[in-house]
Amino acid sequence: MLYNPSIVKHFKQQRRFYEQCWQSPSSLMGRAVLWGWFSFCLFFLKPKVAGIRSWRLLLHYYPHINFSHPSLLDGIRFIIQSLWLLIVKQNSISKKHVNVKAGFKKIYGAVSHCFNVPLHFMMQKKNVIEESVSQINMRLFHQNKIIQQTHTMIIYLGVSLVVVLILICIMVPLTLAAQSIFIVILWMLAMMVRRLPGRFPSLFLIALSLLASTRYIWWRSTSTLNWDEPIGLVLGGILLMAEIYAWIILILGYFQNMWPLNRKPEPLPVDPKDWPVIDIMIPTLNEECHIIKTTIYALLGIDWPKNKLNIYILDDGNREDIKQFSKEVGVHYLARPTHEGAKAGNINYALARSDADFVAVFDCDHIPTRAFFQLTMGIFLNDPKLALLQTAHHFFSPDPFERNLANFGHVPNESSLFYGLTQDGNDLWNSAFFCGSCAILRRKPLEEVGGVAVETVTEDAHTSLKMHRLGYRSAYLKQPISAGLATETLSAHVAQRIRWARGMAQIFRIENPLLAKGLKWQQRLCYLNAMLHFLSGIPRIVFLTAPLFFLLFHVYVIYAPALAIILYVLPHMMHASITNSRMQGEYRHSFWGEIYETVIAWYIARPTTIALFLPNKGFFNVTEKGGLVLKSYYDWTLATPYLVLVGFNIAGVLYGIYRLGWGPSGEIGSVSVNLLWTLYNLFILGGAVAVAEETKQVRENPRVAVNIPVIIRFHSGHVIAAIMKNFSLGGLSIVTSQALPIEAGQKLEVILTGGKQEFIFPLRIIYRQNKLLGLALETLSPQQHIDYVQCTFARADTWVQWQRGSRTDKPLMSLQQVLEVGGKGYQRLWKHSPRVIFYSVKYLLRLIAVIASLRPRPIFINKKVMDYYAPVMNEHN
Amino acid sequence: MMKRMIIAGLKGGEGATTVTANLANALERLNQQTLSVDCTKMNLLRLHFSTPIQNTQGWAVNVMNNTAFYKAAYESPEGVAFFPFGELTVEETNQFKTSKKNVFNTLTNELTPLGGNDCWQLVLLDDFIENKEIYLSLLDSSDIICLVLTPDPSHYNLLHNKVFSRESFFYQKEYRIKTKFLVNQFHPEAVVSCDFLMVLQQELHDYLLPVILHYDVAIVESLANLTSLSIYAPQSQSSHDFQALAYWCLSYFSPENHPSSSL
């Protein structure tokens, strides 16, 4: 009543501004507060303070308090913020902030410039070296004896010089200061070479990494074991063994991957009459009928003379419907009376009942593209000693990691390292091995080794080992010319890995690649790595528990000062990481291997150990594929060992924090190092825990995303151009350029191209959403089925552009992703935990959030009010 | 350089007129200048370019009456330039029949300077196979001879008995190298259509254009609506087919493909 109406109007406008900023209507309390504030401004303040209209000051100095609708704790927040503004922060430091940032940027720019300066120079040198290597005239070299002799001399001299240098670098003990200079030099060299393209820089990085790692292992074995304390010695010895194991794997891995062969398809004879006859074996046990059908349809339409193909379904499940189907489409059906030897026995049974010179093996869920044999058989015909040609396994459905972590297509999947790089690297050393599917074998060598090996549960690798021993060659094609289903659930994935691990350990005992006669040393190393790789279970568990012995039990597993540990272990890890990121980045992002390994570590530890001692025990378990996960659930059984490890690690962290604060001050360095290690382990374990939440998968036929032009034909005679977005065995989705006047349920035809021909298929509209049409296939004849598979799954180009989206690896970004996945694991664990824990944690978190909300906030002066609140408001929404 | 393309059917009814009109439209949409000439007595090309039925003007009428040739030029609402044939009286028709060869020589001479440097001249002919002598001047001056056919038994028969015969223009190498066959009215839902297409692909090889034109009701509908296909049904497959055909024409005359023609 005291105010004049124009002032009232003014106040209302100002209040509305506050409401707009917070996008919420004001409460009675808020109106009173604001009224008071506006009056205060009007009577006691200048119209503008610090360049801001005084009635708006609250928005600037109390950005976290909604004065138009104050809540209960806002009073406390107001007091805390006021005290903070009065006592701690009287001037805005936002300007300083900018300066610090700019300065940091400047320094960063200068440093990276330093690395760039020699880049050009080194690039030139690199090119000179690579060119001179490629220009060496080998014929001249072999003719001239003197050149040859001097060449050998130079090589011996060079090698001995290098060996001496390497020994010095590895073994000479350095003071900590000298060691730090040494690692800085190594690191700088790596950083400069890292960006150069080509293979020579990769080799250089490998050399640096080997140097750093070997130096670390040398230092660890000579100066970090405490010989006076038995428990520490035993535990330290175990950790050291695990580290030596990892070091060996690292070296073998470098050896295997340093020069991938990148084999290319070779041309076939022009006249198809000269093409060989092929027996195609499709072993099956209990897979669903529609999965087998797709593969058979693809094979029936494959580009190869029909009279030179014999397709055999090897049904170990003796199923009537499969037999019926094989009769319908005219392929051979073989069912054994007995089922010994599992898949290997099944193939051997069929081998005895067929006679073509070449045998192709496909798992029943691997669909070959139509060009499969045209791209592969040329290699066979050009090399009579070639016994095996393996092609990449490519999966078009997400594996459990991709599905449960929802990163299908963003992060290279678990198998792509092996099929993209490792096998290709093996190929250089003539030791690419059989993977059980999508491969062609020559019958003669296969029969010479007694058919597919039945002594071990990984019959595939064992068979190729036997053939390599007889001097036959193998080849590998990494082009994706077939595609299959990945394992459905994590437990199936783990079961599959258990089988592989057990089988590899069995081969290691029965036919040890190091001792077996007939192999070249390169082949020995490649097979050795393949087998040792699966012994990673125990070392992995050792790494996950090692720091706990120090944190919980005061045992010095690494008997060295913290600083020394950092100075030695850091280059070891950094260089391994940089080098692997460069070599494998396209096929595996950094740190993801840790999660993949951790998940199976516990489960393969026991079977591999048993198989090492009792190689003849064990059975063959079939990997289930193409199933459904009807409801999301948490696989507690599978995750139990990791939950136990998580428990220990959390205990370790808590006790470590206690020791940090209240323990003896001399231990702080060691405690912090071990704490960091444990925290990292916790995140990795979190990743393993996250994967155990099985996301539901309700679609029976996994869809394959594509972008292929197709034609829709309506019964009215209208023909419309469209784009196929995805397809599955049951139907497809298409997008038209405009929404069409049609309804769900309507029937139409879709014309797909396969090669030069066009094929037409009857479909029904299942759903329609604007321009997107979901279509289901109507009943098709067998020939139409064949055509459909040829136009979709078996197209030669379907998988070529597949998953090429985000293939580059950035180690730090990848680390962040892995840590996020780890965090997600604990979130999921909490979500699935018993009610009591769920709610207590929930309220605890809420309490922490409330307390945290009382903290003072930075104020903003230079920005416009609306600019500042816009993002805030979005958060609130 | 001007590019002259002769478009003709084997027996009539293959849709050569439709192809001419829609190809002209598609080329215009790629910012190409075109000039279409109807040389068929039916005088139907004008229908595709939205000319009123009452209009009986045309270049043949002008030539018969010694009126200036260029006065018969029209432009469609989409901006495509074309010469309708015109509706001849009985007397004019008889006169046309007797002096056919001269008329087409005149036509060739009149056309050559028209349309500027990069213009596409699409010339639609009828009774082409049997009467190649009449069209010799046009044939000699053309860059592509595009024969439209539908994948069916009668066209297959004509192909073997007429086109591949010793008397045919196709027998002469200088004509053969610029001949292309274009499949129109392809019915993917009909097995017989697919089979004949496959046979044609096998036998004609590179003489067959890679673009196959699908049968589409939208073509007839656009004609009934007196508008072009690309406006009436832009998302129809036929519209895409003609676009593809236009692109093929461009790539056929691109310097990389045809070093001699760029000179």
Side-chain angles (χ1 to χ4, degrees):
Chain A
M1 304 309 117
L2 286 168
Y3 301 102
N4 134 1
S6 74
I7 292 179
V8 172
K9 203 175 150 198
H10 217 72
F11 280 10
K12 270 187 182 162
Q13 270 173 5
Q14 293 173 351
R15 192 187 75 214
R16 227 164 277 140
F17 186 80
Y18 272 74
E19 286 171 5
Q20 264 174 16
C21 279
W22 279 94
Q23 285 210 330
S24 68
S26 52
S27 62
L28 204 66
M29 180 71 185
R31 287 180 192 200
V33 170
L34 285 179
W35 198 268
W37 166 249
F38 295 151
S39 322
F40 178 75
C41 291
L42 189 66
F43 298 130
F44 300 106
L45 293 181
K46 287 189 287 181
K48 274 195 175 181
V49 176
I52 299 165
R53 275 183 225 157
S54 53
W55 61 269
R56 286 188 184 180
L57 278 177
L58 287 181
L59 287 172
H60 287 269
Y61 283 105
Y62 302 88
H64 54 311
I65 301 174
N66 180 1
F67 285 97
S68 59
H69 197 300
S71 68
L72 209 62
L73 289 174
D74 278 344
I76 304 173
R77 289 195 189 104
F78 180 78
I79 294 166
I80 291 176
Q81 178 87 352
S82 310
L83 287 175
W84 184 70
L85 286 175
L86 284 172
I87 297 164
V88 184
K89 193 167 154 179
Q90 287 166 336
N91 289 316
S92 156
I93 59 156
S94 59
K95 271 184 190 168
K96 272 188 205 162
H97 249 325
V98 173
N99 283 345
V100 170
K101 231 181 191 174
F104 182 75
K105 256 191 180 167
K106 218 174 186 178
I107 293 168
Y108 180 79
V111 169
S112 60
H113 181 70
C114 283
F115 283 109
N116 280 332
V117 169
L119 204 65
H120 184 69
F121 170 75
M122 286 182 10
M123 188 79 177
Q124 277 177 337
K125 285 281 166 254
K126 189 209 90 165
N127 288 344
V128 168
I129 293 172
E130 285 188 346
E131 254 170 50
S132 61
V133 167
S134 66
Q135 277 174 359
I136 293 172
N137 188 335
M138 286 313 279
R139 196 176 295 161
L140 200 79
F141 177 79
H142 285 299
Q143 280 165 0
N144 196 329
K145 273 243 152 122
I146 302 168
I147 292 187
Q148 245 175 25
Q149 278 171 357
T150 44
H151 178 82
T152 352
M153 285 259 296
I154 291 173
I155 285 204
Y156 279 126
L157 259 174
V159 166
S160 42
L161 193 74
V162 169
V163 166
V164 170
L165 269 176
I166 289 176
L167 287 182
I168 290 174
C169 284
I170 291 171
M171 303 206 291
V172 170
L174 295 173
T175 61
L176 291 187
Q179 169 73 11
S180 22
I181 292 172
F182 179 70
I183 69 169
V184 167
I185 292 172
L186 278 193
W187 180 71
M188 282 175 65
L189 279 174
M191 284 325 237
M192 285 183 212
V193 173
R194 195 164 85 109
R195 301 198 194 162
L196 298 178
R199 283 183 166 169
F200 178 71
S202 295
L203 295 180
F204 189 73
L205 281 178
I206 290 178
L208 288 182
S209 168
L210 285 180
L211 206 63
S213 297
T214 316
R215 184 170 171 77
Y216 169 72
I217 292 292
W218 178 262
W219 172 77
R220 280 280 284 116
S221 6
T222 52
S223 32
T224 62
L225 291 176
N226 186 1
W227 294 88
D228 300 329
E229 198 206 339
I231 301 175
L233 183 64
V234 170
L235 292 175
I238 292 175
L239 178 61
L240 181 59
M241 298 290 269
E243 281 182 294
I244 289 176
Y245 165 84
W247 174 69
I248 291 174
I249 291 288
L250 185 76
I251 294 177
L252 289 177
Y254 286 155
F255 174 75
Q256 234 177 354
N257 299 339
M258 70 182 173
W259 205 279
L261 189 58
N262 255 326
R263 194 186 284 270
K264 296 279 175 287
E266 290 170 27
L268 280 164
V270 181
D271 188 0
K273 276 181 195 149
D274 301 334
W275 298 3
V277 183
I278 306 167
D279 286 332
I280 303 171
M281 314 282 184
I282 298 134
T284 162
L285 175 61
N286 54 10
E287 293 84 356
E288 277 180 58
C289 198
H290 71 265
I291 297 178
I292 302 171
K293 280 182 179 174
T294 319
T295 308
I296 299 294
Y297 289 140
L299 284 169
L300 283 171
I302 213 158
D303 288 339
W304 199 258
K306 293 285 165 286
N307 55 350
K308 297 198 168 190
L309 275 188
N310 305 310
I311 303 171
Y312 295 89
I313 301 182
L314 318 180
D315 185 14
D316 248 2
N318 295 54
R319 283 160 294 172
E320 200 50 44
D321 52 340
I322 307 269
K323 192 175 181 179
Q324 195 59 39
F325 169 71
S326 63
K327 213 180 261 175
E328 238 169 72
V329 295
V331 301
H332 302 276
Y333 176 85
L334 290 177
R336 293 190 287 169
T338 55
H339 300 297
E340 71 287 340
K343 183 175 167 186
N346 199 356
I347 296 175
N348 288 340
Y349 179 82
L351 276 179
R353 281 156 188 78
S354 55
D355 58 358
D357 284 347
F358 293 94
V359 180
V361 180
F362 288 98
D363 276 351
C364 68
D365 54 351
H366 281 283
I367 307 167
T369 58
R370 55 188 305 160
F372 188 89
F373 291 121
Q374 301 212 338
L375 291 173
T376 49
M377 289 312 290
I379 302 175
F380 262 113
L381 296 180
N382 294 342
D383 182 359
K385 283 293 262 181
L386 187 70
L388 160 79
L389 190 136
Q390 177 66 50
T391 68
H393 289 189
H394 164 79
F395 300 102
F396 63 85
S397 68
D399 68 19
F401 292 95
E402 293 174 298
R403 193 158 48 81
N404 297 344
L405 302 179
N407 61 10
F408 187 44
H410 304 299
V411 177
N413 67 23
E414 193 247 3
S415 66
S416 75
L417 175 63
F418 179 73
Y419 289 109
L421 185 64
T422 308
Q423 277 281 56
D424 213 6
N426 277 342
D427 200 10
L428 177 80
W429 307 118
N430 184 25
S431 44
F433 58 83
F434 183 29
C435 301
S437 174
C438 307
I440 308 169
L441 300 124
R442 202 186 284 272
R443 180 180 286 264
K444 192 171 145 277
L446 185 59
E447 283 177 349
E448 271 175 47
V449 300
V452 181
V454 289
E455 302 94 316
T456 53
V457 290
T458 43
E459 74 293 334
D460 35 22
H462 196 180
T463 310
S464 50
L465 176 64
K466 285 179 169 181
M467 294 196 294
H468 277 136
R469 285 187 61 188
L470 293 182
Y472 288 106
R473 277 193 283 272
S474 67
Y476 178 74
L477 263 191
K478 78 168 187 178
Q479 278 81 0
I481 50 175
S482 61
L485 291 171
T487 44
E488 212 47 61
T489 58
L490 186 63
S491 57
H493 171 88
V494 168
Q496 184 192 45
R497 294 309 140 104
I498 292 174
R499 174 161 69 78
W500 292 359
R502 177 190 284 144
M504 286 301 193
Q506 284 179 317
I507 303 177
F508 191 72
R509 272 299 306 280
I510 295 174
E511 211 151 349
N512 191 310
L514 286 180
L515 308 171
K517 274 183 190 143
L519 293 178
K520 295 209 177 75
W521 65 270
Q522 296 97 329
Q523 291 175 320
R524 291 181 199 282
L525 290 185
C526 289
Y527 273 105
L528 182 69
N529 192 22
M531 283 158 205
L532 284 186
H533 177 80
F534 282 105
L535 301 183
S536 66
I538 293 175
R540 171 64 50 183
I541 294 170
V542 170
F543 292 138
L544 288 175
T545 47
L548 301 180
F549 287 101
F550 175 76
L551 288 178
L552 293 174
F553 307 116
H554 287 259
V555 181
Y556 277 87
V557 242
I558 304 177
Y559 188 67
L563 190 59
I565 297 179
I566 291 174
L567 285 181
Y568 278 91
V569 83
L570 216 57
H572 160 59
M573 281 170 27
M574 291 268 288
H575 281 275
S577 173
I578 292 172
T579 312
N580 275 327
S581 166
R582 182 190 167 96
M583 288 168 65
Q584 329 176 332
E586 204 182 325
Y587 310 101
R588 171 157 309 169
H589 286 178
S590 309
F591 304 101
W592 280 94
E594 308 262 312
I595 290 187
Y596 297 144
E597 260 184 31
T598 303
V599 168
I600 56 167
W602 177 264
Y603 292 97
I604 62 171
R606 205 174 62 97
T608 46
T609 318
I610 291 177
L612 277 182
F613 291 106
L614 303 165
N616 294 321
K617 269 188 82 175
F619 58 91
F620 188 99
N621 53 347
V622 177
T623 318
E624 276 179 50
K625 291 173 184 176
L628 304 183
V629 182
L630 289 174
K631 218 181 138 200
S632 296
Y633 64 96
Y634 195 83
D635 197 337
W636 287 104
T637 347
L638 199 76
T640 312
Y642 304 111
L643 295 178
V644 173
L645 279 176
V646 165
F648 281 127
N649 275 285
I650 288 179
V653 167
L654 293 179
Y655 195 58
I657 292 172
Y658 163 76
R659 279 176 69 180
L660 215 52
W662 294 273
S665 59
E667 280 181 349
I668 285 178
S670 302
V671 172
S672 327
V673 168
N674 280 291
L675 254 181
L676 274 179
W677 187 356
T678 315
L679 277 174
Y680 177 74
N681 281 345
L682 264 176
F683 274 107
I684 295 297
L685 282 168
V689 165
V691 189
E693 186 193 65
E694 292 288 4
T695 317
K696 70 176 172 184
Q697 160 126 351
V698 285
R699 202 168 270 141
E700 202 168 354
N701 301 312
R703 303 204 157 207
V704 181
V706 287
N707 227 344
I708 300 174
V710 297
I711 303 170
I712 326 172
R713 188 180 173 280
F714 292 99
H715 291 303
S716 60
H718 288 92
V719 189
I720 304 285
I723 302 285
M724 174 158 73
K725 282 297 174 189
N726 63 50
F727 62 79
S728 71
L729 201 56
L732 37 94
S733 300
I734 51 179
V735 170
T736 53
S737 54
Q738 288 168 25
L740 300 172
I742 42 176
E743 284 166 25
Q746 191 177 332
K747 290 180 182 178
L748 46 76
E749 284 156 330
V750 167
I751 299 157
L752 303 175
T753 50
K756 265 186 158 183
Q757 273 176 280
E758 294 188 351
F759 299 96
I760 190 156
F761 303 98
L763 292 111
R764 191 163 29 88
I765 301 173
I766 295 294
Y767 68 87
R768 193 182 80 100
Q769 195 184 43
N770 203 8
K771 295 170 188 170
L772 181 74
L773 294 179
L775 309 169
L777 280 172
E778 299 272 270
T779 329
L780 300 184
S781 69
Q783 184 56 46
Q784 277 182 313
H785 268 299
I786 295 173
D787 295 339
Y788 180 71
V789 173
Q790 290 309 312
C791 295
T792 50
F793 291 96
R795 283 173 74 100
D797 57 348
T798 302
W799 314 114
V800 175
Q801 284 304 315
W802 180 257
Q803 285 193 354
R804 287 284 156 93
S806 55
R807 271 299 170 92
T808 43
D809 176 36
K810 288 179 180 159
L812 284 179
M813 218 169 85
S814 188
L815 177 66
Q816 190 196 338
Q817 276 178 345
V818 168
L819 295 185
E820 275 169 20
V821 165
K824 208 192 261 179
Y826 294 107
Q827 203 184 343
R828 286 181 180 183
L829 201 60
W830 168 59
K831 207 174 82 190
H832 289 278
S833 60
R835 295 281 105 182
V836 187
I837 301 179
F838 179 81
Y839 282 111
S840 48
V841 172
K842 189 175 171 181
Y843 289 121
L844 187 71
L845 287 178
R846 201 170 275 177
L847 186 69
I848 293 172
V850 168
I851 293 172
S853 75
L854 297 179
R855 75 187 190 280
R857 306 295 164 92
I859 57 173
F860 65 99
I861 295 295
N862 297 330
K863 272 190 186 167
K864 274 192 178 167
V865 178
M866 283 310 241
D867 287 352
Y868 180 81
Y869 278 95
V872 177
M873 281 157 355
N874 288 339
E875 269 171 40
H876 276 261
N877 290 343
Chain B
M1 164 193 138
M2 174 261 286
K3 288 148 287 206
R4 183 172 290 166
M5 185 169 177
I6 287 177
I7 299 171
L10 292 194
K11 70 175 175 68
E14 302 90 348
T17 314
T18 312
V19 170
T20 311
N22 285 302
L23 177 58
N25 270 324
L27 282 169
E28 288 281 345
R29 285 165 76 87
L30 296 178
N31 291 324
Q32 300 291 310
Q33 199 193 351
T34 65
L35 177 62
S36 309
V37 187
D38 189 357
C39 304
T40 64
K41 292 182 292 294
M42 273 93 80
N43 191 24
L44 285 174
L45 185 66
R46 62 193 187 109
L47 211 59
H48 289 268
F49 292 129
S50 323
T51 321
I53 296 174
Q54 303 78 18
N55 190 332
T56 56
Q57 287 301 304
W59 66 269
V61 177
N62 285 12
V63 170
M64 291 299 116
N65 299 322
N66 292 324
T67 322
F69 176 82
Y70 66 86
K71 283 191 174 166
Y74 285 82
E75 197 181 82
S76 83
E78 278 90 59
V80 182
F82 70 102
F83 282 99
F85 185 76
E87 299 288 339
L88 298 181
T89 60
V90 180
E91 200 179 313
E92 284 167 343
T93 311
N94 289 334
Q95 195 192 340
F96 175 73
K97 272 180 187 163
T98 49
S99 60
K100 226 173 176 181
K101 191 162 184 180
N102 288 335
V103 173
F104 279 100
N105 284 341
T106 321
L107 174 71
T108 315
N109 296 335
E110 293 278 1
L111 275 183
T112 306
L114 287 183
N117 245 359
D118 283 321
C119 180
W120 291 82
Q121 294 191 346
L122 308 181
V123 184
L124 173 67
L125 302 182
D126 64 353
D127 298 332
F128 171 66
I129 302 295
E130 301 283 83
N131 304 308
K132 68 166 181 189
E133 275 72 32
I134 298 171
Y135 301 122
L136 269 185
S137 58
L138 268 176
L139 275 184
D140 287 331
S141 62
S142 69
D143 299 294
I144 309 180
I145 303 167
C146 177
L147 289 184
V148 184
L149 43 81
T150 54
D152 60 26
S154 50
H155 278 90
Y156 183 72
N157 202 35
L158 283 175
L159 197 64
H160 274 264
N161 290 343
K162 305 287 185 211
V163 180
F164 294 165
S165 79
R166 277 181 161 275
E167 290 75 42
S168 158
F169 76 99
F170 194 67
Y171 196 75
Q172 285 163 274
K173 200 188 170 209
E174 73 255 41
Y175 297 136
R176 188 162 67 235
I177 53 167
K178 51 188 181 189
T179 305
K180 290 284 172 190
F181 293 90
L182 173 63
V183 170
N184 188 25
Q185 297 183 10
F186 171 54
H187 283 268
E189 76 280 9
V191 178
V192 67
S193 201
C194 295
D195 289 350
F196 271 100
L197 177 63
M198 206 151 80
V199 172
L200 290 176
Q201 282 172 336
Q202 284 288 322
E203 292 187 359
L204 293 175
H205 268 293
D206 291 341
Y207 290 111
L208 190 71
L209 268 167
V211 181
I212 308 293
L213 303 176
H214 293 79
Y215 174 80
D216 194 342
V217 176
I219 289 178
V220 187
E221 286 176 346
S222 66
L223 201 57
N225 283 286
L226 282 181
T227 178
S228 76
L229 180 69
S230 51
I231 287 176
Y232 176 74
Q235 59 169 337
S236 69
Q237 179 62 30
S238 293
S239 175
H240 283 250
D241 286 346
F242 282 113
Q243 208 65 29
L245 186 61
Y247 276 120
W248 178 86
C249 292
L250 288 192
S251 71
Y252 186 76
F253 281 104
S254 72
E256 301 93 61
N257 212 352
H258 243 240
S260 58
S261 69
S262 68
L263 293 173

